[in-house]
Amino acid sequence: MDYQQILDTIKSDLSLMPCTGKVASYIPELAKISPKKIGMHLHCINSGHYSFGDNEERFSIQSISKVFGLTMAMSVLNDKFFERVDVEPSGDPFNSLIQLEYENGIPRNPFINAGALVISDILISELKNPKKDFLDFVHKITENDTITINPEVFKSEKECSFRNAALLNLMKSFGNIKNDIEEVLDFYTYQCAIAMSCKELATAFMIYANSGKRLSNGDQIISPQKTKRINAIMQTCGFYDEAGEFSFRVGLPGKSGVGGGIAAVHPGHYAVTVWSPPLNPKGNSELGMYALERLTTLTGFSIF
Ligand code: DON
């Protein structure tokens, strides 16, 4: 398969696509990014790297970080915490408060904001230095210790985290947040503020395509069984109230972020990432979804 030719076709298809999406502005710092940025990176298990555009420029990974948080929690605690966060699709926006009230403060899954806030609370209880340990984990799976947070994005989100604070307060009223609300909010926002390029994210996501092993040296980062579960949650919950649409159009497990990034995997074959900041009304990268739909169409294979 000539993957570079397929990516070149996707790049030219994208240049003809009208884009009606809007760059996220509820975190003011994110609104400063050019809507024209676009990059894609495909990292194949057997045949290396293919890419185009701004694929080496770092951007705010935002909710893509939720996959790393879940991976760390599953490594530290096995399955014990799944009584505090479920694994069902929510069908609601990523920052919705509605289900939490009638489901007694138990978030539907770890990839909506409420679920990732519970995971952050769990990691604070279990780890000595949560922020350092989180960044160390990202360094370990990318073998790149230059990756860090964007301090302006971190500060900008901290100044307007009203909904996340509301989610935390509601869950604490049900007893599902054990630590100080401010500390959990700070750690959660820190994870979202990590900046990575498509290329770096594709390397990180290779563990989910490669049965939990780092490709470079075969180190087992997380067990194959846990990798299967994480991929299953990405498939059913990675795109909030658009998870069905992403499965329908693309057919891969993946995770989006409001920075305009999407990371997806074809287990046993590849990890792929795309970055285009304008978001559709559900908060997912409009052109990113289109690019991945073209990838599974032009290659003729997805997980289905
Ligand atoms: O908590 C928030 O609202 C953001 N830091 C992350 C949201 C996000 O990326 C949703 N993804 N599509």
Side-chain angles (χ1 to χ4, degrees), residues 25-30 60 62 117 120 124 131 149-166 168 180-194:
S25 58
Y26 75 100
I27 300 171
E29 196 61 28
L30 294 183
S60 192
Q62 292 296 321
L117 288 162
S120 299
I124 288 172
K131 286 182 178 172
I149 67 154
N150 177 326
E152 278 87 36
V153 171
F154 177 64
K155 183 166 172 286
S156 181
E157 181 163 8
K158 280 299 287 288
E159 285 166 3
C160 60
S161 289
F162 309 115
R163 287 193 78 89
N164 288 335
L168 278 167
D180 174 60
I181 282 175
E182 190 43 49
E183 193 182 354
V184 182
L185 194 55
D186 185 73
F187 177 44
Y188 166 85
T189 311
Y190 181 90
Q191 296 161 50
C192 293
I194 289 175

Side-chain angles (χ1 to χ4, degrees), residues 26-27 61-64 66 94-95 113 157 164 188 192 240 255-259 282-284:
Y26 75 100
I27 300 171
I61 69 168
Q62 292 296 321
S63 283
I64 299 173
K66 291 175 168 75
F94 62 87
N95 55 6
N113 286 13
E157 181 163 8
N164 288 335
Y188 166 85
C192 293
Y240 319 109
K255 184 74 202 80
S256 65
V258 290
K282 302 282 171 87
N284 299 313

Side-chain angles (χ1 to χ4, degrees), residues 15-55:
S15 68
L16 303 172
M17 273 292 287
C19 178
T20 54
K22 300 264 175 302
V23 178
S25 58
Y26 75 100
I27 300 171
E29 196 61 28
L30 294 183
K32 296 181 181 168
I33 307 295
S34 163
K36 302 237 176 304
K37 296 282 180 192
I38 188 142
M40 187 165 184
H41 195 99
L42 176 68
H43 188 169
C44 294
I45 288 184
N46 293 323
S47 62
H49 296 260
Y50 309 89
S51 62
F52 67 74
D54 303 308
N55 81 105

